[in-house]
Amino acid sequence: RTDMEETEFDDILDDWFIESLKTYKDLHVYQLEHPTQVIEWTSGKTVCVAGFTSSKNEILELRLPLKLFADENKGLCAERDFKVVHGGFTDAPVRFSNCLNLQVWDLGGDDSDVIRRTGSVDGSRGVSEGGSRIAARLSSQPQVLHGAESAGVRLTQLTSGQTVYTLETDSADPLSSLHFVSDAVFLAGCSNGKVYIADTRTSAAPQLSPPPPSSGESVLWWTDASAGPSCLDPSSCRIVRLSSCGQTVISDLRNPGGAVSRAQLDVQTRRCNADDVRVSWAPALDDCIAVSGFSGAVQIYSSSVWTTELQEAQPLFEHRGHAVSSQSDDGVPVFVTSHVWHPERPRTLLSAASDGSVHVWDWVDQSAAGC
Amino acid sequence: RSCILVSIGGKNIMLDCGMHMGYNDDRRFPDFSYITQNGRLTDFLDCVIISHFHLDHCGALPFMSEMVGYDGPIYMTHPTKAICPILLEDFRKITVDKKGETNFFTSQMIKDCMKKVVPLNLHQTVQVDDELEIKAYYAGHVLGAAMVHIKVGSESVVYTGDYNMTPDRHLGAAWIDKCRPDILISESTYATTIRDSKRCRERDFLKKVHESIERGGKVLIPVFALGRAQELCILLETFWERMNLKAPIYFSTGLTEKANHYYKLFITWTNQKIRKTFVQRNMFEFKHIKAFDRSYADNPGPMVVFATPGMLHAGQSLQIFKKWAGNEKNMVIMPGYCVQGTIGHKILNGQRKLEMEGRSTLDVKLQVEYMSFSAHADAKGIMQLIRMAEPRNMLLVHGEAVKMEFLKGKIEQEFSIDCYMPANGETVTVTTNPSVPVDISLNLLKREMALGGPLPDPKKPRTMHGTLIMKENSLKLVSSEQALKELGLNEHQLRFTCRVQLQDPHSDTDTLHRIYTHLKSVLKGYTIQHLPDGTVMVESIVIKVSSSTEDPNTKVLLLSWSYQEIYIYL
C-alpha cells in the first residue's frame, strides 16, 4: 500500500468516524485474531464467538465493555475493552454454535477461564452440507432442538441424551434455522422457503407455511420469528422470510400461509455464502428488522411502513463500519458474517465480519417515524 | 508495582522499581528483603534497569537507591532519564506537601539517585561488566519506553516493561529482532482483554468536547507536558478544521516550551508522521490552538483549554478548574491515571464536594469524564511479540493466574514453549540448555575432511580426535600436535616390538622374501610392501629378519608397530 492509498484510507475512515458522532450513541470497534460466524448471548453482558477454520478454532466468551452499561456514571468509567472471560479450543469449525455433531461446552466458573468440552449429542441422520441448526429450549431442564433437515429435527435432553420430541414431515427439506416462539412451540425455517410450525406437546402433524410465491429453484430463504419467551401470546408472533434476491415476506403465525407485508430489499447480490446471511427481529423495538451477510453492511428496516404490495424498501439505518474500516489486501471485499441484537437495549447490536472485526454499536434513529 | 529480580549466569539484575499507587504505607514499596535482610543492596545487584517513566515502574527508585542504599549503575533510556526526575518530584510534592507523609524520599535524594543513571541508546549493546551485556529496544507505549535484552554468556532474558504493538498518532509500535531469548518476561495486565480501537476512543473524546461546546460550555483538559497532549491537540485541530468550528482552543504557557524542548531532544523516539510534521513546522504551531492567558478563563462562551499539571494537584489547571467547577455546562476530561491525594483522583472517584485550602468547599457541578488513552498490549499483542522474538520460555507477570489459563494454554500450544505465571513473591526457576561454543582449528577441520567418508550430517555424529583447550574463557579444539606445541611438550611415539623365532635354513633375505610372499597371499586387502632397506611393511607394521648368533638356522623376526595400530588387527 502506498502512502497515498494509506492517507486516502485514513481520510475516508476519519470521515466516517466524524459522521458517526451524530449517527451513533455508542460505538466500539474490536479486532479478533480470527473471524467468527457466531455471536451468541450467554448472559446480558457476555457473548460467545468462535472461529470457523477447518483446523483448530478458538471459542471465546467476551464480556462487553463496562462503559456501555455504566449509564449514570458513564463519564467516570473509562473501560472500553472486551474482557475475555473464558476461552477454549475446538477442532471443528463453529457455525451456529456447532457443526455436524453437537458439542456441549462448559463455560467454566470463576475459578478457571478455560472452556472445556463436556460431551456431545449425536447429530441427526442425513446431514446436509450446511450442518445442523440448533435452538435452545428456554425451560428449567437444559434441552436443545437440533437438526439439519425438516424430517429429523429432534429435541434432546442434554443431561440424559434422550430424545424428547421428533418432528415428522413429509419431505426432508434442508433447514436454515430453528426458533422457539414459546416454551413449547417452535418454527423450522427451510432454505427452500417452507416454514414448519410444531408444538412439542402434541404428536399432531406440524403446520406448513409454503414458500412465498415467485420463488425460484436456486433461491435460498432465511427466517426469523419475533418474540421468544417474552411473547405472551405465541399466535401473535410474526415470521419474517428473506430470500437471496432480497424479497422479504412477513407473515403472522395465526395465518402462516398469508403475507402481512412485503418488501424488496436492495441486497447487491454478490456470491453470498448461505452461512453468512442473517435476518432478525429487534427484540425491544416494534417492527424492526436487521439484515446482514450480503455485503459489508448491516441494514435496519422498519417494516411498519411496508404493504402487501412488493415495493422497494429503504433501510432506516445502515452500519457500514466494517466495510469502511477494512483493509483487505487481497481485493476481496469484506462482508458481515453475523449480527445479534442486545436482548434489552433497544438499539444496541453486535456485528462481526470476515476480516475478524467485531463492532458493538448503538444507533440513533433520525427518522420521524420508525423504530 | 513492577519490580522483578533476575539471576542469570551468576549476575543479579533488578528490572524496574515501581511504586504501588494504591497503598499509603510501606506496602507501596517493593519488598527489598528478598534481596537481603539488612543493609545496602550494592553488593547484591549488578545493575538496575528502568523501562519507562511511569510511577508504577520507577516510583520507588529514589527510595531504593538513597534510603535502602544502592550505588551501582541504573540504566534507562535518554528520554526516561530526562522525564523521570520531573515526575518523581511532582509525586514527592503531592505525597509530602499535600498528604503530609514523612517516610518518603526528598528532592535531594531524587537528584542523587539520577546521578547514578547511565543512559541507553536504542539497539546499542552496553557492557555492564565483562560478562553482562544489555541492549534496549523500542517499546512504544510512552516516550522513551524500552524493552531490554540481557545477556550473560550464552543465556539471555528479554524484559518488556509496558509496550504496545499498534502505532498511534505520536509513537510507533514495539519492535524486537528474532533474538531467541531463554525467557521473555511480559506484562500481562491486559492479556485477557481485546482492546477497543484507538479511533473509537478518539471519537468518544471528540463527541464529549463537541457536546460541551455546542451547549456553550468550557472544557478543561489537564495534561502532563508530554505524550497525550500532543496527540489530543492534533486530533482537535483536525476536527475543528473539518467541522469548521469557531470556539477557541488554548494550551497553557509552559506546556508548549517544555513539550517542544523534549520533542526536539527525542525526535527519534516518536513516530514517522510526527517526525515529518516537526520538520515542516514547530510542533505547537496550530491554526486553531493558541497560547492561553489566565485572564481568558473568565471570558464568556465556549472554549477548550489544555493545562498542566495533569492531576489537578496544583498550578494553572487547578486554578482554571476552581473557576469552572460550579457550572454544569462545563466539562473536565481526565486523560489518565491520577495519584491518590490529588483532586483528579477525588473527582474520578465521584466526589462532588471538595475541601480546598482555607476550609472552603468547592461544589463540583461540571461533567467529569475519564478517558484512557494509554497504549498496552493485549492478548493479540503478546502473541505478536512472541512471534517476533521467538523465546524458549515465556513468563507472564502482573496478571491474574486464574484468569490466564486459557492464554497460557494458547501460548504453549502454538509455540510449544513453557509459560510461567508467578505471583508476587514467587520464584520461578527455568532450566536452560545453553549451547557451548567451541572454536576448531582450520588444520584439524581440513584433516578430518581429508579422511574422506560421508559429508558431515547433523543427524549422524562422527567421531573425531582432537584436544580441547580452555584458555581465557574460550574453548578451542586443536590437533594433538598443535596442543603439544602450545604446551611446549615433546610428542612421544610409542612403538611396540615383539620377537618371533622360527627355524629356516635360508638366508635372511630369502626368509624375508618368503614371508613377504606368504603374507601377500593370506592378507588380502592390506598394503604389503617389500622395501629396499630390507624390511617388509604390512600397513605400518615393520618386519625385519635376522639370524640368531648361536644358530644360523634360527631366524628371529622382529615385529614392530606403533600404538595406533593395535585395534585394527585385534
Side-chain angles (χ1 to χ4, degrees):
Chain A
R1 294 183 118 246
T2 64
D3 267 352
M4 263 290 277
E5 281 172 358
E6 194 76 41
T7 325
E8 253 177 56
F9 173 81
D10 279 343
D11 283 343
I12 296 174
L13 193 53
D14 278 342
D15 281 340
W16 184 78
F17 266 96
I18 287 177
E19 200 193 302
S20 78
L21 293 179
K22 288 252 151 42
T23 51
Y24 294 82
K25 204 169 120 230
D26 283 309
L27 179 63
H28 295 263
V29 166
Y30 303 94
Q31 188 64 37
L32 297 178
E33 270 187 87
H34 309 283
T36 181
Q37 261 183 349
V38 165
I39 311 175
E40 300 258 338
W41 291 100
T42 50
S43 82
K45 295 194 171 136
T46 53
V47 288
C48 242
V49 293
F52 56 95
T53 66
S54 49
S55 57
K56 226 175 181 74
N57 289 293
E58 271 180 25
I59 303 178
L60 300 172
E61 190 191 17
L62 305 172
R63 193 193 65 207
L64 265 63
L66 292 179
K67 201 175 173 84
L68 199 61
F69 303 100
D71 290 329
E72 282 129 41
N73 283 324
K74 219 171 176 108
L76 300 180
C77 182
E79 281 244 19
R80 299 185 61 90
D81 305 328
F82 265 149
K83 179 93 180 146
V84 180
V85 180
H86 293 102
F89 291 100
T90 170
D91 291 325
V94 184
R95 296 189 170 103
F96 299 104
S97 308
N98 75 332
C99 193
L100 298 175
N101 275 309
L102 280 184
Q103 295 178 343
V104 182
W105 298 84
D106 181 8
L107 282 178
D110 286 330
D111 54 349
S112 163
D113 73 329
V114 178
I115 299 177
R116 278 176 234 280
R117 205 181 115 175
T118 54
S120 64
V121 175
D122 274 332
S124 52
R125 16 156 211 151
V127 171
S128 67
E129 265 171 26
S132 297
R133 307 294 174 225
I134 69 164
R137 186 183 193 166
L138 319 124
S139 66
S140 46
Q141 318 119 322
Q143 291 176 347
V144 67
L145 192 66
H146 60 102
E149 292 174 336
S150 54
V153 172
R154 289 185 289 159
L155 182 64
T156 305
Q157 174 92 270
L158 279 179
T159 39
S160 62
Q162 229 188 338
T163 303
V164 170
Y165 173 89
T166 311
L167 180 66
E168 316 234 338
T169 58
D170 292 328
S171 51
D173 307 296
L175 292 178
S176 61
S177 59
L178 289 168
H179 311 270
F180 270 104
V181 293
S182 77
D183 195 44
V185 177
F186 72 89
L187 259 64
C190 307
S191 15
N192 58 13
K194 285 188 199 171
V195 174
Y196 290 98
I197 303 151
D199 190 323
T200 58
R201 294 167 296 198
T202 77
S203 51
Q207 266 188 296
L208 165 63
S209 168
S214 68
S215 171
E217 268 293 311
S218 57
V219 172
L220 297 171
W221 289 87
W222 296 273
T223 315
D224 189 29
S226 73
S230 55
C231 187
L232 296 166
D233 178 10
S235 60
S236 75
C237 289
R238 295 195 152 175
I239 308 168
V240 60
R241 266 176 281 201
L242 170 71
S243 82
S244 45
C245 316
Q247 196 193 72
T248 316
V249 178
I250 297 177
S251 320
D252 201 307
L253 209 62
R254 287 169 290 204
N255 178 18
V260 169
S261 55
R262 308 183 150 79
Q264 177 62 47
L265 311 182
D266 176 19
V267 293
Q268 302 158 45
T269 41
R270 55 163 197 115
R271 196 204 99 254
C272 74
N273 188 349
D275 279 334
D276 293 328
V277 176
R278 300 273 186 285
V279 58
S280 62
W281 287 103
L285 291 172
D286 289 331
D287 304 324
C288 232
I289 298 169
V291 173
S292 73
F294 292 101
S295 67
V298 181
Q299 293 162 325
I300 314 275
Y301 292 90
S302 170
S303 65
S304 59
V305 297
W306 297 357
T307 62
T308 48
E309 264 181 56
L310 185 64
Q311 277 182 329
E312 266 189 33
Q314 291 306 314
L316 186 61
F317 186 85
E318 203 173 7
H319 174 69
R320 295 182 305 111
H322 295 281
V324 169
S325 56
S326 157
Q327 288 184 282
S328 74
D329 299 312
D330 53 0
V332 175
V334 75
F335 53 91
V336 175
T337 53
S338 182
H339 77 258
V340 283
W341 291 85
H342 190 280
E344 281 135 39
R345 296 168 63 97
R347 279 172 211 81
T348 303
L349 286 100
L350 273 80
S351 53
S354 53
D355 61 351
S357 57
V358 172
H359 295 181
V360 183
W361 39 287
D362 192 340
W363 54 282
V364 171
D365 183 6
Q366 295 183 315
S367 68
C371 306
Chain B
R1 66 188 110 50
S2 292
C3 188
I4 300 165
L5 299 169
V6 174
S7 285
I8 171 175
K11 304 287 172 187
N12 294 331
I13 301 143
M14 181 185 285
L15 301 170
D16 278 338
C17 191
M19 184 84 87
H20 196 303
M21 311 309 270
Y23 293 120
N24 279 324
D25 51 27
D26 281 350
R27 283 176 300 176
R28 61 184 158 193
F29 299 117
D31 186 354
F32 298 114
S33 67
Y34 281 108
I35 305 173
T36 173
Q37 291 289 338
N38 42 35
R40 303 178 71 80
L41 306 176
T42 316
D43 293 333
F44 298 89
L45 293 172
D46 292 281
C47 72
V48 173
I49 305 174
I50 303 292
S51 61
H52 63 288
F53 60 65
H54 276 159
L55 291 172
D56 55 340
H57 288 257
C58 73
L61 191 62
F63 173 79
M64 192 269 301
S65 72
E66 307 311 305
M67 292 170 84
V68 178
Y70 169 74
D71 300 310
I74 300 173
Y75 291 96
M76 57 181 80
T77 62
H78 286 275
T80 311
K81 181 177 179 201
I83 298 166
C84 230
I86 303 171
L87 282 179
L88 287 169
E89 180 54 35
D90 266 357
F91 180 45
R92 189 207 67 76
K93 263 200 221 141
I94 297 169
T95 313
V96 172
D97 300 345
K98 298 281 169 194
K99 288 161 72 188
E101 298 218 14
T102 44
N103 185 29
F104 214 74
F105 47 83
T106 63
S107 293
Q108 186 57 42
M109 286 180 185
I110 297 175
K111 294 196 179 96
D112 292 336
C113 171
M114 297 313 286
K115 287 191 191 129
K116 299 170 182 169
V117 169
V118 179
L120 293 171
N121 286 316
L122 279 180
H123 305 162
Q124 193 185 47
T125 307
V126 170
Q127 296 287 141
V128 177
D129 61 35
D130 284 342
E131 293 156 313
L132 170 61
E133 59 181 50
I134 60 177
K135 188 181 347 176
Y137 288 92
Y138 192 80
H141 186 58
V142 290
L143 194 67
M147 305 190 290
V148 148
H149 181 257
I150 299 153
K151 192 159 126 173
V152 179
S154 59
E155 289 179 316
S156 61
V157 165
V158 168
Y159 170 58
T160 62
D162 284 337
Y163 64 104
N164 65 287
M165 301 301 287
T166 41
D168 60 32
R169 282 180 206 260
H170 82 296
L171 290 175
W175 181 87
I176 194 167
D177 48 18
K178 228 188 265 293
C179 51
R180 299 211 173 98
D182 290 293
I183 309 176
L184 174 61
I185 304 175
S186 169
E187 290 286 311
S188 55
T189 331
Y190 291 88
T192 51
T193 62
I194 297 177
R195 306 216 83 204
D196 190 10
S197 76
K198 195 85 208 301
R199 273 205 164 80
C200 273
R201 289 171 208 272
E202 291 175 347
R203 175 195 174 267
D204 215 22
F205 171 72
L206 291 175
K207 193 163 197 283
K208 292 292 164 208
V209 172
H210 193 218
E211 273 166 13
S212 229
I213 297 294
E214 292 259 272
R215 58 171 186 247
K218 297 172 164 58
V219 183
L220 171 64
I221 307 171
V223 283
F224 171 60
L226 286 142
R228 303 302 151 199
Q230 178 62 16
E231 245 193 87
L232 297 176
C233 281
I234 298 173
L235 194 54
L236 278 189
E237 168 95 346
T238 323
F239 186 57
W240 248 241
E241 184 71 25
R242 234 184 244 271
M243 305 285 279
N244 201 18
L245 298 175
K246 300 295 175 207
I249 312 176
Y250 303 107
F251 38 61
S252 61
T253 46
L255 180 68
T256 52
E257 284 129 40
K258 257 203 213 123
N260 259 322
H261 169 71
Y262 285 116
Y263 272 98
K264 272 204 194 99
L265 268 184
F266 304 122
I267 195 70
T268 48
W269 284 85
T270 60
N271 68 16
Q272 193 69 352
K273 276 198 194 140
I274 294 273
R275 282 205 281 280
K276 276 198 206 143
T277 333
F278 196 71
V279 168
Q280 292 162 17
R281 58 167 171 80
N282 180 340
M283 290 285 266
F284 275 83
E285 237 168 63
F286 292 109
K287 204 167 126 190
H288 301 275
I289 311 182
K290 303 287 172 223
F292 187 67
D293 181 276
R294 72 163 81 165
S295 62
Y296 298 172
D298 298 314
N299 288 359
M303 73 173 81
V304 181
V305 177
F306 287 92
T308 57
M311 301 187 227
L312 286 180
H313 54 281
Q316 193 161 64
S317 62
L318 183 58
Q319 267 177 30
I320 301 171
F321 176 77
K322 283 193 211 166
K323 282 199 177 169
W324 294 357
N327 189 337
E328 61 246 332
K329 280 202 248 178
N330 295 342
M331 181 186 285
V332 63
I333 299 180
M334 308 298 295
Y337 177 80
C338 292
V339 166
Q340 232 183 41
T342 56
I343 301 244
H345 189 263
K346 291 183 181 146
I347 59 173
L348 284 180
N349 275 334
Q351 220 173 309
R352 302 303 273 178
K353 270 190 168 23
L354 300 169
E355 234 185 65
M356 312 298 283
E357 303 97 58
R359 297 254 200 100
S360 60
T361 16
L362 183 67
D363 272 323
V364 180
K365 293 205 182 128
L366 69 118
Q367 217 175 312
V368 179
E369 292 286 332
Y370 183 21
M371 300 204 172
S372 162
F373 287 100
S374 73
H376 282 268
D378 56 8
K380 193 165 104 175
I382 294 176
M383 303 296 281
Q384 280 176 301
L385 188 71
I386 300 177
R387 268 175 222 125
M388 259 190 195
E390 286 189 15
R392 287 172 231 267
N393 294 280
M394 192 64 202
L395 203 105
L396 297 171
V397 293
H398 301 130
E400 292 169 67
V402 146
K403 307 285 180 186
M404 295 199 322
E405 234 188 280
F406 171 61
L407 179 63
K408 177 178 138 94
K410 201 166 131 162
I411 292 173
E412 288 177 342
Q413 242 177 69
E414 186 169 330
F415 303 109
S416 305
I417 59 176
D418 284 329
C419 181
Y420 302 88
M421 302 185 304
N424 275 348
E426 202 183 308
T427 306
V428 171
T429 310
V430 179
T431 352
T432 57
N433 231 347
S435 40
V436 181
V438 173
D439 293 327
I440 180 169
S441 83
L442 196 58
N443 283 332
L444 189 59
L445 201 58
K446 281 188 185 164
R447 184 201 292 188
E448 287 298 318
M449 299 287 285
L451 284 177
L455 283 172
D457 180 352
K459 297 211 173 86
K460 290 194 190 136
R462 206 166 96 175
T463 318
M464 63 177 288
H465 300 276
T467 310
L468 189 68
I469 302 182
M470 273 176 63
K471 202 158 120 179
E472 289 155 9
N473 281 335
S474 73
L475 292 165
K476 238 182 351 174
L477 198 60
V478 299
S479 64
S480 323
E481 297 87 27
Q482 192 173 336
L484 286 165
K485 213 197 282 177
E486 288 204 26
L487 290 166
L489 293 172
N490 286 325
E491 188 177 3
H492 291 78
Q493 299 262 355
L494 283 173
R495 279 200 88 81
F496 297 84
T497 55
C498 164
R499 284 184 167 79
V500 176
Q501 284 193 336
L502 51 82
Q503 298 294 116
D504 191 337
H506 297 98
S507 73
D508 288 354
T509 330
D510 281 346
T511 311
L512 188 67
H513 188 77
R514 283 176 62 205
I515 289 169
Y516 168 71
T517 324
H518 176 71
L519 287 175
K520 243 200 132 63
S521 69
V522 298
L523 292 180
K524 305 270 165 104
Y526 290 99
T527 311
I528 305 174
Q529 296 170 284
H530 188 163
L531 298 175
D533 66 352
T535 62
V536 163
M537 283 194 64
V538 177
E539 297 288 329
S540 61
I541 299 174
V542 177
I543 306 170
K544 274 195 186 143
V545 172
S546 56
S547 303
S548 153
T549 39
E550 290 97 25
D551 174 14
N553 287 343
T554 308
K555 297 286 181 289
V556 175
L557 263 63
L558 180 72
L559 279 85
S560 160
W561 62 94
S562 67
Y563 176 69
Q564 283 100 304
E565 263 65 56
I566 289 177
Y567 61 90
I568 296 178
Y569 301 109
L570 274 174

